[in-house]
Amino acid sequence: MTSPLLSVIVPLAPDEAEWEGLRAQLIALLAGNEIIIVRPGTANGHDTHTITTSMTTTCEIVAAPGRARQLNAGARTARGRWLWFLHADSRLHPRTLPALRAFLDRDENALGYFDLRYRDDGPKVARINAIGANFRACCFGLPFGDQGFVLRANWFADLGGYDETVAYGEDHLLVWRARDAGLPIVGIGAPLLSSARKYAREGWLRTTAKHLVLTARQAWPHWRMARLERHANSGNARRPYPHPDPSPTSEHDRREAGSCAVLAIFVKTPGHSPIKTRLAARIGVANATAFHRLAAAAVRQVVCEARNAGCDLQAYWAVAEHEGLRDPLWRELPTLWQGGGDLGARLHHIYSRLQRSHGCVLLLGADAPQLTPDLLLAALNALNDPATPFALGDACDGGFWLFGGCAPIPETTWRSVRYSQSKTAAELRGALAPLGGVANLATLTDVDNALDLAALADALDALSDPLPAQRALRAWLQTHSDTPLAKELRA
């Protein structure tokens, strides 16, 4: 069977009655394409049937409840090259489909959206909300889901899909992710009708105020990060999405291209995730949490010292939890969300996002706080060599404490590696081999369990000029004399 050009994905709420009107329009007008209805349930499955009168395939699947989960499930099922996400209460204007076809024919590298227009099933004052939504989308590039997002299926996958961890605003977050990746947000130039019944049901003023507050709360961290990135790259054009040109191969070329190197420190937020579980099993949760905080502070201070010493380096916290992005613990640097999935998926998400916009990227954790500015400089110097577009700092346990790169890496490469194993670094080095040479950096001890603490203490003692945060960590190790931590060190 020939794959359709377009897959229309419509999530349904329980007992959804609004869908039938949209389905009738789509079946009549979208011949040769695919409609995917995603009903809420508790298990994944699908039931497909073909509407022969229009040659339109309607695929009904069941996904876990939650609009983001349903939308992602529909996208995974879709066979079309393009995805069109619609709400069940959407209706097509006579100009909607002609404008959509023109957009698809142009084959634009963009996330497209329609102009919002409300139907006559709510208060007339809702027209003001539509005007505001269209102004926001046109002037600020921030459309919402009821404006019918259209984008290529592979781009949607590249952006990581809708965020399934948030209670609201998954469409808003997808737009920010597209903006961060450099994907243009463009108007398709035709109306899409939406229901205004929520304003009638909950009250216009109350509903409007609620949406304004929720939008502002969700937009603030992204606006702040975008502002910091613009400041770091002032006067420089963004790289085109989805794949940049080959990265400059020297620091001089990077400066000419307007892209400084960027570093992301992977961290977890106490109170939101279990911290250092293997370490906590031996020294207690409180001690493991304290260690993580002190080690992260030491790593941040080393990075800042490297910048003060002349490294052209923009630094971020890569935070494991979306709700941890605004935690005061990470206020010293701008924050990025690691994304969902396993470690390979999260490494890919951060690396690909930063590599597209900056060219040269360093990734490290907070587990090797004995690192020095000279080690970071050595990584950047290694990446200046065209023969080694990647650099890897092995850890003593077979993992790695730093990864550097200045060329794109497919997600399959990241996810082919078994992490937290004795051969993790070797597997990553082998997976990268087809993409280019890998420079070997110094081997360090990173702290995963209690047996690593003594080696860390020795490494901190060996520093010729430790930074204040490193001295604070070493003092903390020494002063906890009556804790399981001190017993591990004495052993």
Side-chain angles (χ1 to χ4, degrees):
M1 180 183 295
T2 302
S3 296
L5 171 67
L6 179 69
S7 294
V8 186
I9 300 170
V10 185
L12 303 187
D15 302 319
E16 178 65 64
E18 284 283 321
W19 154 242
E20 295 301 330
L22 177 61
R23 174 159 59 180
Q25 287 186 310
L26 292 174
I27 289 176
L29 298 173
L30 284 178
N33 293 287
E34 178 181 59
I35 304 168
I36 300 175
I37 308 164
V38 191
R39 301 185 183 278
T42 58
N44 290 323
H46 57 83
D47 176 22
T48 305
H49 61 278
T50 303
I51 309 298
T52 56
T53 56
S54 66
M55 296 302 292
T56 301
T57 298
T58 300
C59 174
E60 296 193 16
I61 66 173
V62 176
R67 188 157 62 185
R69 295 186 184 93
Q70 291 174 251
L71 291 167
N72 288 339
R76 288 192 296 269
T77 302
R79 297 181 298 115
R81 291 173 49 232
W82 289 84
L83 305 179
W84 187 16
F85 297 99
L86 290 178
H87 290 182
D89 60 7
S90 297
R91 295 293 183 273
L92 308 185
H93 185 272
R95 287 168 31 214
T96 301
L97 286 183
L100 173 63
R101 292 190 182 102
F103 175 79
L104 299 180
D105 288 342
R106 291 194 299 271
D107 205 21
E108 291 199 42
N109 295 343
L111 186 156
Y113 66 89
F114 293 85
D115 299 330
L116 179 63
R117 184 178 296 182
Y118 282 116
R119 292 152 51 195
D120 295 329
D121 58 354
K124 293 184 178 180
V125 73
R127 295 173 183 172
I128 297 175
N129 300 76
I131 293 171
N134 293 328
F135 176 82
R136 178 192 64 220
C138 178
C139 296
F140 300 105
L142 290 174
F144 280 177
D146 49 8
Q147 293 177 260
F149 296 164
V150 185
L151 74 165
R152 280 185 178 274
N154 61 322
W155 295 342
F156 178 77
D158 225 20
L159 294 174
Y162 287 98
D163 185 350
E164 299 181 4
T165 68
V166 296
Y168 66 91
E170 69 285 336
D171 49 354
H172 188 198
L173 294 177
L174 181 70
V175 171
W176 276 104
R177 202 174 300 158
R179 286 163 56 100
D180 291 342
L183 182 64
I185 313 296
V186 302
I188 293 176
L192 181 66
L193 308 181
S194 185
S195 174
R197 68 188 190 280
K198 60 186 175 184
Y199 295 102
R201 184 175 62 247
E202 301 175 14
W204 176 82
L205 184 60
R206 179 181 180 183
T207 303
T208 301
K210 175 184 176 182
H211 288 172
L212 288 173
V213 170
L214 293 178
T215 300
R217 182 183 300 166
Q218 202 168 51
W220 166 247
H222 297 277
W223 178 86
R224 180 179 63 120
M225 183 174 64
R227 185 169 178 268
L228 289 167
E229 286 186 344
R230 284 196 300 270
H231 178 72
N233 298 283
S234 57
N236 302 318
R238 294 188 73 101
R239 294 176 178 267
Y241 187 89
H243 296 299
D245 294 330
S247 301
T249 55
S250 70
E251 189 64 25
H252 172 74
D253 289 340
R254 286 194 191 98
R255 291 176 185 274
E256 290 298 313
S259 179
C260 67
V262 63
L263 179 147
I265 308 168
F266 279 62
V267 291
K268 291 184 176 181
T269 310
H272 294 285
S273 292
I275 304 295
K276 306 297 296 180
T277 53
R278 283 183 286 171
L279 184 63
R282 295 295 299 275
I283 69 173
V285 173
N287 279 326
T289 301
F291 170 82
H292 180 65
R293 294 169 66 105
L294 288 166
V299 171
R300 182 195 66 80
Q301 198 166 91
V302 171
V303 173
C304 292
E305 184 67 16
R307 293 169 59 184
N308 294 338
C311 284
D312 191 9
L313 196 62
Q314 172 66 41
Y316 295 90
W317 295 116
V319 181
E321 314 85 6
H322 194 277
E323 62 273 22
L325 291 172
R326 290 178 289 174
D327 192 285
L329 186 61
W330 315 127
R331 65 179 178 272
E332 301 292 345
L333 295 175
T335 55
L336 303 170
W337 181 49
Q338 292 178 20
D342 58 19
L343 181 55
R346 289 181 278 126
L347 286 167
H348 168 72
H349 176 71
I350 293 295
Y351 179 81
S352 61
R353 172 178 177 179
L354 295 178
Q355 200 278 322
R356 279 192 292 260
S357 59
H358 291 79
C360 180
V361 183
L362 300 181
L363 306 179
L364 67 157
D367 302 331
Q370 73 274 33
L371 85 161
T372 64
D374 286 344
L375 290 173
L376 297 179
L377 180 60
L380 293 176
N381 287 338
L383 296 175
N384 281 338
D385 186 346
T388 55
F390 308 109
L392 196 62
D394 286 44
C396 291
D397 62 1
F400 59 93
W401 63 271
L402 180 143
F403 174 83
C406 59
I409 300 174
E411 183 175 3
T412 53
T413 299
W414 289 109
R415 302 193 71 172
S416 68
V417 176
R418 295 173 298 169
Y419 295 94
S420 301
Q421 304 293 323
S422 60
K423 296 184 179 180
T424 294
E427 289 186 8
L428 179 56
R429 192 175 279 106
L432 292 168
L435 305 177
V438 182
N440 297 319
L441 306 176
T443 299
L444 298 182
T445 296
D446 63 348
V447 176
D448 290 317
N449 54 60
L451 298 178
D452 299 323
L453 293 172
L456 171 63
D458 291 341
L460 290 171
D461 288 339
L463 294 176
S464 59
D465 188 19
L467 296 172
Q470 291 172 323
R471 292 197 296 268
L473 175 58
R474 185 65 183 98
W476 183 83
L477 293 171
Q478 290 174 325
T479 56
H480 283 63
S481 58
D482 57 348
T483 66
L485 174 62
K487 296 177 183 177
E488 293 291 346
L489 284 173
R490 287 196 294 271

